[in-house]
Amino acid sequence: PNHPGCVVYSIGSNGDFSFEWGMQQAVGAGVCEFHIFDMGNYTNRMPADLQRAHFHQWGLARQDPNAVGVPKPGQKFYGLKDTVKLLGHENLDTIDVFKIDCEKCEWKTFQDWVAPGIPSLQQIQVEAHNAPPQAITFFDTLEEAGYVRFHKEPNIQFNDGSCLEYALLKLDKEFFALRNELKKIKNNAIVDSDAKK
């Protein structure tokens, strides 16, 4: 495997590095490589003792499907695949933690998270803002890619509870085999029942 230890992508810091600091406290200094993204310039707010931390001043956008080659530096937004290229992570097997709080960009970018050419995101921590109708597709897409939700809580500290924080973990496809078989049986039973009417 091509992996320099723990790798964390943290999208949307708003100058708050408590998540990264907490991870470093939990797993040890220097264990994780942190890539922190925000459109604001918060480099000077990064704790000096946060090790292996890199701040990138850009936001996440939907990946341009026609993009080829190396992305042009200096843009305000990049797609996830372009971000991976800019960081030289094309051959990285895994991003251990993908934390994203991007004020609704999750609804436009989630399909890129599981697209070909993206390292496996082992754990996704996402704050979902004001769920639109495509929220069902959002969760179905992640489940089809092998993710299960293991945590959900409303963010009532900074808003009215319309934002929900989810944590998802990528599991082996075999985990879903029995469930998928049961879904097929159920769907066939529904079709048979409808045909008899």
Side-chain angles (χ1 to χ4, degrees), residues 2 12 14 29-30 34 36 48 51 59 79 85 99 109 123 128 131 133 151 177 182 194:
N2 183 8
N14 198 28
F34 298 101
I36 305 153
Q51 295 182 20
K85 285 181 184 178
K99 195 254 327 165
T109 63
Q123 185 180 132
H151 181 78
L182 292 173
D194 288 345

Side-chain angles (χ1 to χ4, degrees), residues 132-187:
Q134 73 258 37
I136 293 170
T137 305
F138 172 87
F139 288 108
D140 285 348
T141 299
L142 293 174
E143 184 177 309
E144 287 169 18
Y147 290 93
V148 294
R149 290 181 296 263
F150 69 88
H151 181 78
K152 170 187 171 185
E153 76 178 79
N155 180 347
I156 56 172
Q157 184 178 9
F158 297 110
N159 67 44
D160 60 2
S162 61
C163 298
L164 297 172
E165 297 174 352
Y166 291 93
L168 303 102
L169 187 63
K170 184 157 188 160
L171 299 179
D172 189 282
K173 296 275 187 172
E174 286 299 311
F175 177 83
F176 298 94
L178 178 60
R179 182 168 184 260
N180 291 338
E181 190 61 36
L182 292 173
K183 279 170 113 178
K184 283 181 195 174
I185 292 168
K186 181 181 174 184
N187 290 339

Side-chain angles (χ1 to χ4, degrees), residues 19-109:
F19 170 77
E20 297 80 12
W21 178 249
M23 277 203 68
Q24 179 172 283
Q25 294 294 99
V27 301
V31 173
C32 290
E33 178 180 300
F34 298 101
H35 291 277
I36 305 153
F37 304 86
D38 200 283
M39 293 178 297
N41 186 358
Y42 300 114
T43 309
N44 60 347
R45 289 193 195 173
M46 240 181 9
D49 49 357
L50 182 59
Q51 295 182 20
R52 298 179 69 202
H54 311 276
F55 185 83
H56 310 283
Q57 192 176 349
W58 69 75
L60 188 67
R62 189 169 190 177
Q63 180 63 47
D64 177 357
N66 300 315
V68 292
V70 178
K72 188 169 95 175
Q75 301 298 308
K76 192 172 181 177
F77 294 95
Y78 290 101
L80 184 56
K81 193 170 197 174
D82 285 342
T83 294
V84 167
K85 285 181 184 178
L86 284 166
L87 299 181
H89 289 166
E90 300 99 312
N91 296 318
L92 192 65
D93 297 349
T94 301
I95 295 169
D96 297 278
V97 179
F98 182 77
K99 195 254 327 165
I100 181 164
D101 180 0
C102 60
E103 309 303 320
K104 299 184 186 174
C105 90
E106 65 274 11
W107 306 119
K108 296 176 184 168
T109 63

